[in-house]
Amino acid sequence: AYPRLPELHARLRGHVKNHKSPHVARLQLEYGAFGICAATIWEAIVMARAGADDILVANELVTPQKRRAAALLAREVNLLVAVDDAGDAAALSAAAVEAGSTIGVLVEVDTGMHRCGVSSPDEALAVARAVAALPALRMDGISGYEGHCSLELDTERRHEKQAVAMKYFVEVADHLEANGVPCPILSAAGTATAFWTGADPRITELQLGSYAAMDDYHYLMEPRFKKATSALVTVISRRKDRVVLNLGKKTFGAADVGNIPAYPRIVGWEGLTPYRFDEEHATYEVDDSCTLKVGDVVGFHLGYTPFAVNYFDAYHVVEDGTVVDIWPIMPRGPLHGGLLTMLEEGR
């Protein structure tokens, strides 16, 4: 599951936002990841309870509740958080001081995705200096996910965009260090850019996650990772020119992301053309050569696992056609579901 990754310069920090499984996170750590990356503080708490002790929340935590949770969790694990605003850093510092903990900070840099992140080397320096001057925060480096590259299906153009993004990212780090702010961590990459970014001698860690629950969307760009996640579906209607399955947009993930045709494919019938995807139905065009009939149960490669996983309760782990284990999917949704209370009570 890790083609050539051991040969890369950067270390692997396994992202958990797409699979949301403590069991998969433990496998990531067992098979080479040195730490975990999470999208939410609630994911981070669950993964810490599963044994992860080095966790990056690759997101800004700008509500008091989330900052409080991060400050409490930082008493137990090495916790890093993304920051792109000096005021946010000050509030995070206050939460850590109150909890008696130290939170590592990565200044988030916009490398071209135009989401979160500082917009210039000088802005990065200003935020980094603010972080370094605050109590209970540790200025650890910068984070810069080049996610816009993952919307480019053409390999050559994607590589060109990745190279531009990482050149700028490294220049930001150089600017910080030239002005007296150490920048030991440069954290970047996704599954679609892993082998290029990971080979850069300046990049220290990779925030990869989709490889662990590989779907059709990411497989189109990086087929060296094998497809890992599928759903079992049933043929509920068969007409002369179409076949209908009982799984739709609500559960299989987006039919397309950006301009990439990441629609799900039927295992063994990958060549079938989709006719339409509805809330609870997937309809494909067929002809007389297709032998699928009502009642047939088939595998269904998910179009985009990060969306699909939120609709399922568990993974059924299959080896040689036999279910050997069931792994719960957690946490889901924007609320903490008691996780903050657990931290405050020392559980």
Side-chain angles (χ1 to χ4, degrees):
Y2 298 84
R4 288 183 51 240
L5 283 181
E7 299 177 17
L8 300 180
H9 172 267
R11 299 190 297 169
L12 174 63
R13 182 185 286 280
H15 215 314
V16 302
K17 69 174 182 179
N18 29 34
H19 61 70
K20 291 183 179 291
S21 165
H23 292 78
V24 177
R26 291 179 69 173
L27 286 174
Q28 288 175 298
L29 293 168
E30 181 180 347
Y31 285 91
F34 78 94
I36 288 297
C37 186
T40 72
I41 187 60
W42 317 126
E43 291 173 356
I45 294 168
V46 170
M47 300 310 160
R49 291 296 184 269
D53 59 7
D54 193 316
I55 304 173
L56 164 64
V57 180
N59 216 337
E60 287 73 15
L61 304 178
V62 298
T63 64
Q65 188 183 56
K66 293 178 180 179
R67 290 176 180 135
R68 171 69 171 163
L72 292 172
L73 184 61
R75 298 195 299 199
E76 304 177 15
V77 303
N78 180 40
L79 184 72
L80 293 81
V81 173
V83 166
D84 69 359
D85 178 85
D88 176 31
L92 190 66
S93 168
V97 168
E98 181 182 357
S101 62
T102 298
I103 299 175
V105 169
L106 298 185
V107 174
E108 184 166 5
V109 177
D110 179 8
T111 61
M113 192 174 185
H114 304 320
R115 194 168 61 185
C116 298
V118 296
S119 302
S120 71
D122 283 341
E123 188 181 359
L125 178 61
V127 175
R129 281 175 168 167
V131 169
L134 288 165
L137 296 186
R138 185 183 64 245
M139 176 57 202
D140 280 344
I142 59 176
S143 175
Y145 172 48
E146 65 277 24
H148 61 293
C149 302
S150 296
L151 300 177
E152 177 57 68
L153 186 59
D154 182 87
T155 301
E156 184 174 343
R157 289 198 294 270
R158 186 167 71 255
H159 194 183
E160 290 173 355
K161 291 181 178 180
Q162 176 272 340
V164 170
M166 288 301 99
K167 180 177 183 295
Y168 171 69
F169 187 56
V170 170
E171 288 173 354
V172 172
D174 289 342
H175 186 61
L176 265 59
E177 294 185 337
N179 285 276
V181 180
C183 192
I185 296 176
L186 278 73
S187 183
T191 295
T193 56
F195 295 107
W196 301 319
T197 298
D200 189 319
R202 294 296 304 282
I203 306 302
T204 64
E205 61 180 52
L206 307 176
Q207 302 173 14
L208 305 189
S210 293
Y211 75 94
M214 198 64 172
D215 52 42
D216 267 318
Y217 170 56
H218 293 91
Y219 185 78
L220 288 171
M221 291 174 287
E222 191 44 82
R224 282 174 286 188
F225 292 113
K226 295 180 180 179
K227 294 181 185 179
T229 309
S230 62
L232 283 183
V233 298
T234 304
V235 177
I236 61 171
S237 182
R238 170 64 199 264
R239 306 273 68 83
K240 182 178 178 61
D241 61 347
R242 65 187 184 276
V243 63
V244 184
L245 308 174
N246 65 341
L247 198 69
K249 286 183 177 179
K250 287 182 177 178
T251 45
F252 64 59
D256 59 82
V257 180
N259 296 317
I260 299 176
Y263 60 83
R265 292 165 170 81
I266 305 171
V267 177
W269 299 92
E270 286 83 0
L272 292 181
T273 300
Y275 173 71
R276 190 174 67 231
F277 297 120
D278 302 310
E279 292 181 16
E280 306 288 357
H281 303 82
T283 305
Y284 290 81
E285 297 175 0
V286 298
D287 56 27
D288 291 340
S289 66
C290 178
T291 59
L292 289 173
K293 62 185 184 303
V294 172
D296 282 349
V297 177
V298 293
F300 196 56
H301 284 304
L302 300 172
Y304 193 68
T305 305
F307 290 168
V309 163
N310 272 328
Y311 291 92
F312 290 90
D313 295 320
Y315 294 98
H316 290 73
V317 184
V318 178
E319 291 183 359
D320 299 324
T322 300
V323 175
V324 297
D325 209 347
I326 299 176
W327 297 346
I329 294 170
M330 58 188 297
R332 290 173 289 174
L335 303 179
H336 65 79
L339 292 171
L340 177 55
T341 303
M342 179 185 68
L343 282 178
E344 290 180 328
E345 293 177 352
R347 291 187 282 121

